[in-house]
Amino acid sequence: MPRLSTHVLDTAQGRPAAGVTLVLSRFEDGRHRTVLCDTKTNQDGRTDTPLLEGDAFKVGQYEIAFHVGPYFRAQGLTLPEPPFLDVVPLRFGIADPHGHYHVPLLVSPWSYSTYRGS
């Protein structure tokens, strides 16, 4: 079944990032944003269900906004104000309506990376 999933890894502490708020949006015409879901990561740094699946999974432009600033503050880390990274927006495209798109975020208070996983 086609689906979109994510996983957040705290590379500063070497563990999954539990409790990170993320907001998934779809863009129409490259400008008009529709929020599709607002959720948090579980103890494994994943969401309990796919972000998109079945009929909701469509070709188009999407964005996942990862709210990492509050997560790092909750870990007891001393961050500058404002923090270097607060919300990490990842905008990406889904071109295959039958695929599995996995968009992980590897993050520290000072850097992040992503890739299309499996």
Side-chain angles (χ1 to χ4, degrees):
M1 174 180 288
R3 67 188 181 281
L4 170 65
S5 59
T6 191
H7 189 191
V8 183
L9 297 172
D10 178 341
T11 58
Q13 299 181 83
R15 63 182 180 212
V20 174
T21 296
L22 55 94
V23 178
L24 173 68
S25 301
R26 181 179 331 190
F27 287 86
E28 304 295 332
D29 304 325
R31 300 183 316 231
H32 300 93
R33 176 190 314 248
T34 301
V35 173
L36 302 177
C37 76
D38 183 335
T39 190
K40 287 187 182 271
T41 57
N42 61 24
Q43 290 302 110
D44 194 34
R46 301 174 186 273
T47 56
D48 290 332
T49 60
L51 298 175
L52 289 175
E53 65 182 332
D55 292 340
F57 187 88
K58 298 177 182 171
V59 169
Q61 288 188 328
Y62 294 84
E63 179 181 280
I64 303 174
F66 296 89
H67 294 257
V68 298
Y71 164 79
F72 284 119
R73 281 188 204 93
Q75 301 305 301
L77 299 177
T78 302
L79 301 176
E81 195 54 52
F84 182 68
L85 294 177
D86 190 21
V87 178
V88 175
L90 294 180
R91 194 175 286 194
F92 58 95
I94 291 178
D96 179 1
H98 306 290
H100 174 201
Y101 284 71
H102 183 69
V103 182
L105 180 72
L106 290 74
V107 66
S108 82
W110 311 108
S111 67
Y112 68 89
S113 65
T114 191
Y115 56 92
R116 180 178 172 191
S118 60

